[in-house]
Amino acid sequence: MKEKPQITALPADKLLSTAEVAEVLGGTDVGFVNRIINCGLLLAMRFGPRKKVPTSVLNEFVREYAGRDIVAEVDRIELEKMRKKATA
């Protein structure tokens, strides 16, 4: 069996709940944070029904999407997924 590589989180990295992510993103709704995660724009770790986002991942997300309309991006991705599902 192949051994998994050792991964060590940086001391500054903390796992944030979706509620904490929503607060960091300026009081965004938790439901919208889940949409961002489900679209694949924001990577999260799943612990059963709970999702956690490392602070480093959230920081990278903010840098990458600064100045962009995230709502429009999420809507576009969700629409694409629905269209693909309808034609499958």
Side-chain angles (χ1 to χ4, degrees), residues 50-83:
R50 297 182 181 171
K51 298 172 190 168
K52 299 285 186 173
V53 178
T55 53
S56 59
V57 171
L58 181 58
N59 288 335
E60 181 59 33
F61 172 82
V62 170
R63 275 192 292 278
E64 185 173 339
Y65 290 96
R68 292 170 59 184
D69 186 348
I70 301 302
V71 174
E73 190 72 19
V74 169
D75 287 345
R76 183 189 62 75
I77 293 168
E78 288 177 339
L79 185 59
E80 273 181 27
K81 285 183 178 182
M82 287 191 314
R83 285 181 178 156

Side-chain angles (χ1 to χ4, degrees), residues 3-4 7 11 15 21-22 25 34 36 47 49 54 76-77 82:
E3 194 174 313
K4 292 185 178 182
I7 299 173
L15 295 177
V21 171
L25 294 178
N34 283 312
I36 295 170
F47 298 92
R76 183 189 62 75
I77 293 168
M82 287 191 314

Side-chain angles (χ1 to χ4, degrees), residues 17-37 42 58 61-62 68-71 74:
S17 68
T18 52
E20 291 170 315
V21 171
E23 189 176 317
V24 169
L25 294 178
T28 301
D29 184 74
V30 172
F32 186 66
V33 171
N34 283 312
R35 286 178 62 199
I36 295 170
I37 292 169
L42 179 62
L58 181 58
F61 172 82
V62 170
R68 292 170 59 184
D69 186 348
I70 301 302
V71 174
V74 169

